[in-house]
Amino acid sequence: MGNITDLIKDVASKNQIIETFAAKVIDINKETESLHNPEDAYTVNIMRADGAIIKNVRLKASILDVEQGIITIPKKDSWVLASIVDGVETRAFVSQFSEVDRLMGRIQPTSDPNLFLDYSADGNKLLIRYINSDTATETNETKILEIAKIEFNKDKNFKISYFNEDEKPLAITHFTPDSLTSTFNSIENKETKERLTLNVSKDNVSLKFKNDKGKELNSIQATPEKYNILLKNDEDKKQASLTIEKNKIAGYLFEEDELKKLAIELNGESDNIRLKKDDQNLIELKGKTAINIKTEGDINIEAKNINMKSTEKVNINASGDTIITGNNVKIN
């Protein structure tokens, strides 16, 4: 079809006539050998009102320069306005569209000849990419490296991605009408591992940290009624947790994922503090009524001096023997 620059110069210098007429699109000539996408199309076949068929009507100024340009692809069987330069059908191009199937384009920044802003849009989705392409040696899609990408579809899903030099995802943020998910990754030996994930919805927020092996370390989860914090070691074993629910606070310490250390529970409703390992090992301090020490085993209190004082009375009850020993025992 010739060089478009020479064609424009030729039309201008010779004052050639450009004929425009209505025609129906009968074929979309997809570029199955496209360097970028086999769905790309640079020409269409059209049928004039008089039944004459014109093939390979161009959709962009230069179909040889596939690296750049903006292309509007009409819907099949839609009507277009086609123009022919000086009656030569090989110079035919589509000048106006009635219905559009897809838009696509590629824009090259002036600062770097290998960087392009690449976009594609149809009735279902929008895709915008910032890519690196060596135009001098490019032979297929694998030569195109994505740097950043934006995707939006008819289901209102919106996604933003960033990539490293090997096209591995460094960070991804995914929006839906009901949620947001952001993931930050580490990449070692070309293998992607999640390191931090944030999930947000109207009723829940969670934040998860992972180690370089992909095992969960720490997490935070919040709802309108409750907050949970969980700490783990590199072996994915629980170390500690903290729960806040309304006016209650509970903290737990773990050894090898098992509850083996005291837990602390603060309950604002009953004005108490509980130190608890399990139901058999419990210390409960109640400010308004009493202090209860409960265990199914022995209770041993060791100190230099032990003082018990009551404003009313002291009761010591035992189902068995009651033994009080000492060098000097005084009961008054």
Side-chain angles (χ1 to χ4, degrees):
M1 291 189 181
N3 184 280
I4 189 62
T5 303
D6 295 337
L7 174 61
I8 294 173
K9 289 180 179 179
D10 192 47
V11 171
S13 62
K14 296 180 180 179
N15 197 26
Q16 293 175 319
I17 298 173
I18 299 178
E19 176 191 2
T20 300
F21 54 88
K24 186 177 183 179
V25 178
I26 58 175
D27 286 305
I28 309 292
N29 299 321
K30 294 181 179 179
E31 303 292 332
T32 57
E33 301 299 326
S34 169
L35 303 179
H36 311 126
N37 186 339
E39 294 298 312
D40 287 356
Y42 306 120
T43 66
V44 294
N45 299 338
I46 62 175
M47 183 173 65
R48 299 169 56 128
D50 59 7
I53 294 176
I54 304 176
K55 295 183 177 181
N56 299 318
V57 178
R58 67 180 70 200
L59 295 174
K60 61 180 295 191
S62 174
I63 62 173
L64 299 179
D65 182 18
V66 298
E67 295 300 336
Q68 296 189 65
I70 299 173
I71 302 174
T72 302
I73 302 175
K75 288 186 177 180
K76 186 178 179 182
D77 298 325
S78 67
W79 286 84
V80 296
L81 289 181
S83 299
I84 294 181
V85 179
D86 208 25
V88 180
E89 291 187 356
T90 57
R91 295 181 175 184
F93 61 93
V94 176
S95 53
Q96 294 293 333
F97 303 82
S98 63
E99 296 181 78
V100 174
D101 186 66
R102 189 157 67 97
L103 294 173
M104 61 183 186
R106 183 165 292 187
I107 304 170
Q108 183 182 48
T110 57
S111 58
D112 192 331
N114 294 333
L115 293 179
F116 294 89
L117 179 67
D118 178 277
Y119 69 87
S120 174
D122 58 24
N124 296 317
K125 63 181 180 300
L126 167 67
L127 175 64
I128 301 175
R129 302 188 301 173
Y130 198 49
I131 61 175
N132 190 314
S133 173
D134 184 356
T135 59
T137 61
E138 180 182 50
T139 58
N140 54 53
E141 177 74 14
T142 61
K143 290 290 184 178
I144 295 178
L145 299 179
E146 292 184 344
I147 300 173
K149 181 167 63 175
I150 299 174
E151 303 169 79
F152 181 74
N153 63 27
K154 61 181 180 61
D155 297 320
K156 301 178 183 178
N157 293 311
F158 186 76
K159 187 176 181 181
I160 303 174
S161 307
Y162 296 91
F163 306 90
N164 71 352
E165 62 277 5
D166 295 318
E167 214 170 19
K168 299 293 185 180
L170 293 170
I172 298 174
T173 299
H174 187 190
F175 300 86
T176 72
D178 302 314
S179 66
L180 178 151
T181 301
S182 291
T183 303
F184 295 88
N185 304 318
S186 64
I187 301 173
E188 296 182 5
N189 300 321
K190 297 187 177 182
E191 186 177 0
T192 304
K193 296 287 187 181
E194 287 186 8
R195 296 303 300 272
L196 173 63
T197 302
L198 172 66
N199 288 287
V200 179
S201 68
K202 62 180 181 180
D203 295 321
N204 193 303
V205 176
S206 68
L207 187 65
K208 295 182 179 180
F209 296 88
K210 295 183 179 181
N211 62 14
D212 54 5
K213 297 179 181 178
K215 291 186 177 181
E216 186 176 318
L217 289 176
N218 307 319
S219 64
I220 301 173
Q221 185 174 16
T223 69
E225 298 82 20
K226 192 174 183 179
Y227 288 82
N228 286 318
I229 300 175
L230 179 63
L231 306 181
K232 294 184 176 181
N233 60 20
D234 283 338
E235 301 301 322
D236 201 27
K237 300 291 187 180
K238 294 179 183 178
Q239 289 185 307
S241 69
L242 176 67
T243 300
I244 303 174
E245 185 176 6
K246 295 182 179 179
N247 58 349
K248 297 180 181 179
I249 299 176
Y252 302 89
L253 300 176
F254 301 86
E255 290 183 359
E256 292 298 319
D257 213 27
E258 296 293 334
L259 180 58
K260 291 186 177 180
K261 296 184 179 180
L262 287 178
I264 301 175
E265 299 179 8
L266 306 179
N267 190 332
E269 293 179 350
S270 56
D271 295 320
N272 65 4
I273 299 175
R274 306 178 76 199
L275 304 179
K276 177 181 178 182
K277 182 176 180 181
D278 48 44
D279 289 338
Q280 287 75 42
N281 296 275
L282 169 66
I283 298 176
E284 186 174 41
L285 308 177
K286 292 185 177 181
K288 288 185 177 180
T289 57
I291 296 175
N292 298 319
I293 301 175
K294 178 183 177 182
T295 178
E296 292 186 357
D298 298 335
I299 295 178
N300 299 310
I301 302 175
E302 295 184 7
K304 183 177 181 180
N305 295 292
I306 297 176
N307 299 310
M308 291 187 292
K309 182 179 180 180
S310 173
T311 59
E312 294 186 7
K313 60 182 178 179
V314 175
N315 296 321
I316 300 175
N317 298 315
S319 58
D321 297 335
T322 300
I323 301 173
I324 300 175
T325 62
N327 294 332
N328 296 287
V329 178
K330 297 180 181 180
I331 299 176
N332 184 11

